[in-house]
Every structure is written in structure tokens, then in C-alpha cells.
Amino acid sequence: MRITCTVNGEKRNAEGVWEGESLLYVLRERLGLYGSKNACEQGECGSCSVYLDGALVCACLVLGGQAHGRSITTVEGVDAAKVQDAFVEAGAVQCGFCTPGLIVATHDLLRRVPHPTDAEIREALAGNVCRCTGYGKIIEAVHMAAR
């Protein structure tokens, strides 16, 4: 099957897609966008978070065919330099595996709630698992990005 969609503002085609392939697989293996990480393949860790028509989704849970004709924004296409800088400055980045999903989820939170409370941050990032930093520095980074 052939998928045509808009990825990070650019019309893209993926050829030879099997009907059971995840959007994450299509992004990484067919379109060469390696920012979204493949960790759990069950929607539990958030490492593969992307926007699909403006909604935050786990790309591992979306079939590639469902993206046909739609708009996808990955971590490579999110305007999140301020968020990325805050994560680095706060020391919220260690191994980096969870970072792309956290960046996209933080971007989503800050576009909806410009100055979130700790509780709002915890709720918004609840679907993202980090095994290295603990979450104190991540919460600090979100507050820094909100300033």
C-alpha cells in the first residue's frame, strides 16, 4: 500500500507499506525520521509521541495506513527549541531515549497551558516514562520552558 501524508509540513510518500505496520515504523523505517523512539510498542512509555492532525498520539499505536491524507508532526518538526534548551539546562536529559516524547508532550502542554502547575505537568506527562532522571528535573525543565 502507498501512504501519502504531510510530515513536518512536507508532503511525503511511503511505498510498500504493509497494512499492519505502525505509524512509528513508517516514520522511522520508510521515511527516515528517527527522532521518535521505539521502546515499548504498547503505548505505555510515550517515547514515540507525535502529533496526528494536531492531537498528541503514540505512533506505535496508530496504523501507518491511518495516516494516509493526514498531517503528522514529529519531534523533528516541532518548534520546541525553548523546551529542548530547558531540558538540557535543567539536567533533565540523560540517556535521551524518552526525550523526544517528553519534548513533544511538553510542547503540547505549553501550547494548551502556558504556565502549568506541577499537577498539570504531572498529568500531561503521565504517559511518558523516564528510567534515568526521576521526574524532578523534568518538571523543573517544563517550568523553565514556560517562563
mmCIF file of all heavy atoms in Angstrom, residues 39-65:
data_model
loop_
_atom_site.group_PDB
_atom_site.id
_atom_site.type_symbol
_atom_site.label_atom_id
_atom_site.label_comp_id
_atom_site.label_asym_id
_atom_site.label_seq_id
_atom_site.Cartn_x
_atom_site.Cartn_y
_atom_site.Cartn_z
ATOM 1 N N ALA A 39 10.274 2.075 21.884
ATOM 2 C CA ALA A 39 10.647 1.498 23.177
ATOM 3 C C ALA A 39 9.726 0.354 23.571
ATOM 4 O O ALA A 39 10.144 -0.783 23.658
ATOM 5 C CB ALA A 39 10.660 2.575 24.256
ATOM 6 N N CYS A 40 8.462 0.621 23.782
ATOM 7 C CA CYS A 40 7.576 -0.416 24.334
ATOM 8 C C CYS A 40 6.658 -1.054 23.298
ATOM 9 O O CYS A 40 6.189 -2.161 23.499
ATOM 10 C CB CYS A 40 6.746 0.155 25.477
ATOM 11 S SG CYS A 40 5.420 1.276 24.947
ATOM 12 N N GLU A 41 6.366 -0.357 22.226
ATOM 13 C CA GLU A 41 5.424 -0.797 21.188
ATOM 14 C C GLU A 41 4.029 -1.098 21.726
ATOM 15 O O GLU A 41 3.274 -1.839 21.114
ATOM 16 C CB GLU A 41 5.971 -2.014 20.428
ATOM 17 C CG GLU A 41 7.216 -1.714 19.644
ATOM 18 C CD GLU A 41 7.700 -2.876 18.815
ATOM 19 O OE1 GLU A 41 7.602 -4.036 19.260
ATOM 20 O OE2 GLU A 41 8.161 -2.607 17.704
ATOM 21 N N GLN A 42 3.686 -0.523 22.887
ATOM 22 C CA GLN A 42 2.381 -0.764 23.503
ATOM 23 C C GLN A 42 1.708 0.514 23.981
ATOM 24 O O GLN A 42 0.715 0.460 24.693
ATOM 25 C CB GLN A 42 2.539 -1.727 24.681
ATOM 26 C CG GLN A 42 3.046 -3.080 24.276
ATOM 27 C CD GLN A 42 3.282 -3.986 25.463
ATOM 28 O OE1 GLN A 42 2.883 -3.706 26.586
ATOM 29 N NE2 GLN A 42 3.953 -5.085 25.217
ATOM 30 N N GLY A 43 2.263 1.670 23.652
ATOM 31 C CA GLY A 43 1.665 2.930 24.058
ATOM 32 C C GLY A 43 1.812 3.244 25.530
ATOM 33 O O GLY A 43 1.083 4.072 26.057
ATOM 34 N N GLU A 44 2.768 2.606 26.185
ATOM 35 C CA GLU A 44 2.939 2.785 27.627
ATOM 36 C C GLU A 44 4.037 3.773 28.005
ATOM 37 O O GLU A 44 4.051 4.267 29.119
ATOM 38 C CB GLU A 44 3.243 1.437 28.283
ATOM 39 C CG GLU A 44 2.120 0.426 28.175
ATOM 40 C CD GLU A 44 0.905 0.798 28.997
ATOM 41 O OE1 GLU A 44 1.055 1.423 30.059
ATOM 42 O OE2 GLU A 44 -0.210 0.466 28.560
ATOM 43 N N CYS A 45 4.986 4.051 27.097
ATOM 44 C CA CYS A 45 6.162 4.828 27.505
ATOM 45 C C CYS A 45 6.200 6.246 26.962
ATOM 46 O O CYS A 45 6.894 7.090 27.507
ATOM 47 C CB CYS A 45 7.441 4.095 27.112
ATOM 48 S SG CYS A 45 7.771 4.104 25.338
ATOM 49 N N GLY A 46 5.503 6.521 25.864
ATOM 50 C CA GLY A 46 5.465 7.868 25.304
ATOM 51 C C GLY A 46 6.658 8.267 24.468
ATOM 52 O O GLY A 46 6.703 9.380 23.944
ATOM 53 N N SER A 47 7.638 7.393 24.282
ATOM 54 C CA SER A 47 8.841 7.739 23.519
ATOM 55 C C SER A 47 8.562 8.021 22.049
ATOM 56 O O SER A 47 9.380 8.641 21.377
ATOM 57 C CB SER A 47 9.879 6.624 23.627
ATOM 58 O OG SER A 47 10.352 6.532 24.941
ATOM 59 N N CYS A 48 7.437 7.568 21.563
ATOM 60 C CA CYS A 48 7.106 7.734 20.143
ATOM 61 C C CYS A 48 6.026 8.792 19.927
ATOM 62 O O CYS A 48 5.402 8.824 18.866
ATOM 63 C CB CYS A 48 6.656 6.399 19.554
ATOM 64 S SG CYS A 48 5.121 5.765 20.269
ATOM 65 N N SER A 49 5.813 9.668 20.884
ATOM 66 C CA SER A 49 4.746 10.670 20.780
ATOM 67 C C SER A 49 4.939 11.589 19.583
ATOM 68 O O SER A 49 6.030 12.115 19.354
ATOM 69 C CB SER A 49 4.692 11.515 22.055
ATOM 70 O OG SER A 49 4.380 10.718 23.168
ATOM 71 N N VAL A 50 3.867 11.759 18.823
ATOM 72 C CA VAL A 50 3.825 12.671 17.674
ATOM 73 C C VAL A 50 2.448 13.333 17.662
ATOM 74 O O VAL A 50 1.533 12.901 18.361
ATOM 75 C CB VAL A 50 4.055 11.938 16.325
ATOM 76 C CG1 VAL A 50 5.427 11.279 16.282
ATOM 77 C CG2 VAL A 50 2.960 10.931 16.029
ATOM 78 N N TYR A 51 2.321 14.368 16.854
ATOM 79 C CA TYR A 51 1.014 14.958 16.602
ATOM 80 C C TYR A 51 0.438 14.326 15.345
ATOM 81 O O TYR A 51 1.129 14.210 14.333
ATOM 82 C CB TYR A 51 1.116 16.468 16.348
ATOM 83 C CG TYR A 51 1.440 17.320 17.542
ATOM 84 C CD1 TYR A 51 2.668 17.961 17.649
ATOM 85 C CD2 TYR A 51 0.503 17.523 18.549
ATOM 86 C CE1 TYR A 51 2.959 18.782 18.726
ATOM 87 C CE2 TYR A 51 0.782 18.345 19.629
ATOM 88 C CZ TYR A 51 2.015 18.971 19.716
ATOM 89 O OH TYR A 51 2.296 19.779 20.770
ATOM 90 N N LEU A 52 -0.806 13.912 15.397
ATOM 91 C CA LEU A 52 -1.547 13.433 14.236
ATOM 92 C C LEU A 52 -2.747 14.356 14.090
ATOM 93 O O LEU A 52 -3.632 14.368 14.960
ATOM 94 C CB LEU A 52 -1.982 11.976 14.424
ATOM 95 C CG LEU A 52 -2.765 11.341 13.281
ATOM 96 C CD1 LEU A 52 -1.932 11.307 12.003
ATOM 97 C CD2 LEU A 52 -3.212 9.936 13.667
ATOM 98 N N ASP A 53 -2.744 15.168 13.055
ATOM 99 C CA ASP A 53 -3.769 16.202 12.870
ATOM 100 C C ASP A 53 -3.922 17.061 14.125
ATOM 101 O O ASP A 53 -5.022 17.411 14.539
ATOM 102 C CB ASP A 53 -5.119 15.584 12.480
ATOM 103 C CG ASP A 53 -5.123 15.005 11.076
ATOM 104 O OD1 ASP A 53 -4.280 15.422 10.255
ATOM 105 O OD2 ASP A 53 -5.972 14.147 10.797
ATOM 106 N N GLY A 54 -2.787 17.376 14.746
ATOM 107 C CA GLY A 54 -2.775 18.259 15.907
ATOM 108 C C GLY A 54 -3.041 17.602 17.243
ATOM 109 O O GLY A 54 -2.967 18.263 18.276
ATOM 110 N N ALA A 55 -3.348 16.309 17.250
ATOM 111 C CA ALA A 55 -3.602 15.593 18.509
ATOM 112 C C ALA A 55 -2.381 14.752 18.872
ATOM 113 O O ALA A 55 -1.800 14.079 18.013
ATOM 114 C CB ALA A 55 -4.828 14.699 18.370
ATOM 115 N N LEU A 56 -2.012 14.774 20.129
ATOM 116 C CA LEU A 56 -0.873 14.001 20.614
ATOM 117 C C LEU A 56 -1.243 12.517 20.639
ATOM 118 O O LEU A 56 -2.258 12.137 21.231
ATOM 119 C CB LEU A 56 -0.494 14.477 22.020
ATOM 120 C CG LEU A 56 0.819 13.972 22.592
ATOM 121 C CD1 LEU A 56 1.997 14.473 21.765
ATOM 122 C CD2 LEU A 56 0.966 14.447 24.038
ATOM 123 N N VAL A 57 -0.447 11.680 19.962
ATOM 124 C CA VAL A 57 -0.699 10.237 19.917
ATOM 125 C C VAL A 57 0.612 9.487 20.074
ATOM 126 O O VAL A 57 1.688 10.030 19.834
ATOM 127 C CB VAL A 57 -1.368 9.795 18.588
ATOM 128 C CG1 VAL A 57 -2.713 10.467 18.387
ATOM 129 C CG2 VAL A 57 -0.461 10.021 17.393
ATOM 130 N N CYS A 58 0.503 8.232 20.462
ATOM 131 C CA CYS A 58 1.647 7.325 20.448
ATOM 132 C C CYS A 58 1.678 6.697 19.055
ATOM 133 O O CYS A 58 0.757 5.969 18.673
ATOM 134 C CB CYS A 58 1.510 6.248 21.519
ATOM 135 S SG CYS A 58 1.710 6.869 23.189
ATOM 136 N N ALA A 59 2.727 6.963 18.306
ATOM 137 C CA ALA A 59 2.816 6.495 16.928
ATOM 138 C C ALA A 59 2.855 4.975 16.835
ATOM 139 O O ALA A 59 2.502 4.409 15.802
ATOM 140 C CB ALA A 59 4.035 7.103 16.241
ATOM 141 N N CYS A 60 3.246 4.311 17.911
ATOM 142 C CA CYS A 60 3.279 2.842 17.887
ATOM 143 C C CYS A 60 1.877 2.243 17.904
ATOM 144 O O CYS A 60 1.702 1.077 17.553
ATOM 145 C CB CYS A 60 4.112 2.296 19.049
ATOM 146 S SG CYS A 60 3.363 2.488 20.690
ATOM 147 N N LEU A 61 0.875 3.014 18.300
ATOM 148 C CA LEU A 61 -0.497 2.516 18.383
ATOM 149 C C LEU A 61 -1.355 2.880 17.180
ATOM 150 O O LEU A 61 -2.500 2.455 17.088
ATOM 151 C CB LEU A 61 -1.178 3.041 19.650
ATOM 152 C CG LEU A 61 -0.584 2.591 20.975
ATOM 153 C CD1 LEU A 61 -1.359 3.200 22.129
ATOM 154 C CD2 LEU A 61 -0.546 1.078 21.074
ATOM 155 N N VAL A 62 -0.808 3.676 16.272
ATOM 156 C CA VAL A 62 -1.539 4.109 15.090
ATOM 157 C C VAL A 62 -1.032 3.294 13.904
ATOM 158 O O VAL A 62 0.173 3.185 13.695
ATOM 159 C CB VAL A 62 -1.308 5.617 14.827
ATOM 160 C CG1 VAL A 62 -1.995 6.066 13.550
ATOM 161 C CG2 VAL A 62 -1.780 6.450 16.013
ATOM 162 N N LEU A 63 -1.945 2.711 13.149
ATOM 163 C CA LEU A 63 -1.537 2.010 11.938
ATOM 164 C C LEU A 63 -1.065 3.020 10.902
ATOM 165 O O LEU A 63 -1.642 4.106 10.770
ATOM 166 C CB LEU A 63 -2.689 1.191 11.373
ATOM 167 C CG LEU A 63 -3.110 -0.020 12.199
ATOM 168 C CD1 LEU A 63 -4.343 -0.664 11.595
ATOM 169 C CD2 LEU A 63 -1.970 -1.016 12.317
ATOM 170 N N GLY A 64 -0.024 2.658 10.180
ATOM 171 C CA GLY A 64 0.506 3.554 9.160
ATOM 172 C C GLY A 64 -0.555 3.994 8.173
ATOM 173 O O GLY A 64 -0.611 5.159 7.782
ATOM 174 N N GLY A 65 -1.432 3.069 7.780
ATOM 175 C CA GLY A 65 -2.493 3.395 6.830
ATOM 176 C C GLY A 65 -3.446 4.455 7.336
ATOM 177 O O GLY A 65 -4.053 5.173 6.540
#
